């Protein structure tokens, strides 16, 4: 029976590694403990009870926490938080010459205009529309 628990543990680890969501992680500690119990020749009903009890206990104890943490994944951070903000042009922006720089939050960023052929002069305030690589796309 110990080999069954080893196989189940490996399958569970592979499933968790291949998915972005938490799928079976709560049952893996129960699988590990049940495997140890199998090596100690503990009866199968006890192994199954430990597996189910630990898995369900961890699921009900920590699932609400993981759901709350997942809700925060829509929070924009780092560079994505710049989208929609206003920046100051510190070097004329011209897509044709591939020049342009803006300053926002004390940092200098290379910038390009969203409108082809448009030139944005130095000192103009612009809105950040998106980020492509290390360049801000502004209007």
């Amino acid at each position: 029976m110990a080999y069954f628990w080893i196989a189940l543990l490996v399958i569970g680890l592979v499933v968790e590694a291949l998915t972005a969501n938490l799928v079976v992680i709560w049952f893996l500690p129960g699988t590990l403990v049940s495997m140890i119990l199998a090596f100690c020749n503990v009866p199968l009903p006890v192994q199954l009870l430990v597996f189910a009890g630990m898995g369900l206990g961890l699921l009900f104890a920590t699932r609400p926490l993981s759901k709350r943490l997942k809700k925060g994944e829509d929070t924009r951070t780092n560079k994505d938080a710049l989208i929609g903000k206003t920046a100051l042009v510190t070097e004329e922006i011209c897509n044709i010459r591939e020049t342009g720089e803006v300053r926002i939050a004390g940092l200098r960023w290379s910038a390009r205009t969203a409108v082809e052929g448009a030139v944005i002069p130095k000192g103009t305030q612009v809105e950040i529309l998106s980020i492509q690589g290390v360049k801000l796309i502004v209007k």
Side-chain angles (χ1 to χ4, degrees), residues 1-3 5 32-43 47:
M1 195 64 197
Y3 296 112
W5 294 116
L32 184 63
V33 172
S34 295
M35 178 188 66
I36 293 168
L37 292 175
F39 279 119
C40 295
N41 295 319
V42 174
Q47 295 172 33

Side-chain angles (χ1 to χ4, degrees), residues 1 4-5 30 34 37 43-54:
M1 195 64 197
F4 168 78
W5 294 116
S34 295
L37 292 175
L44 179 61
V46 175
Q47 295 172 33
L48 292 172
L49 187 64
V50 167
F51 169 74
M54 283 187 71

Side-chain angles (χ1 to χ4, degrees), residues 83-84 112 114 127-132 135-138:
I83 296 173
R112 298 294 179 263
E127 179 186 355
I128 300 169
L129 299 177
S130 65
I131 300 172
Q132 291 181 357
K135 292 180 177 58
L136 299 179
I137 307 302
V138 300

Side-chain angles (χ1 to χ4, degrees), residues 22-30 54-56 58-59 62-63 66:
L22 299 176
V23 178
V24 294
I25 196 163
W26 296 277
F27 292 92
L28 295 180
M54 283 187 71
L56 292 173
L58 288 170
L59 176 67
T62 60
R63 178 90 172 143
S66 69

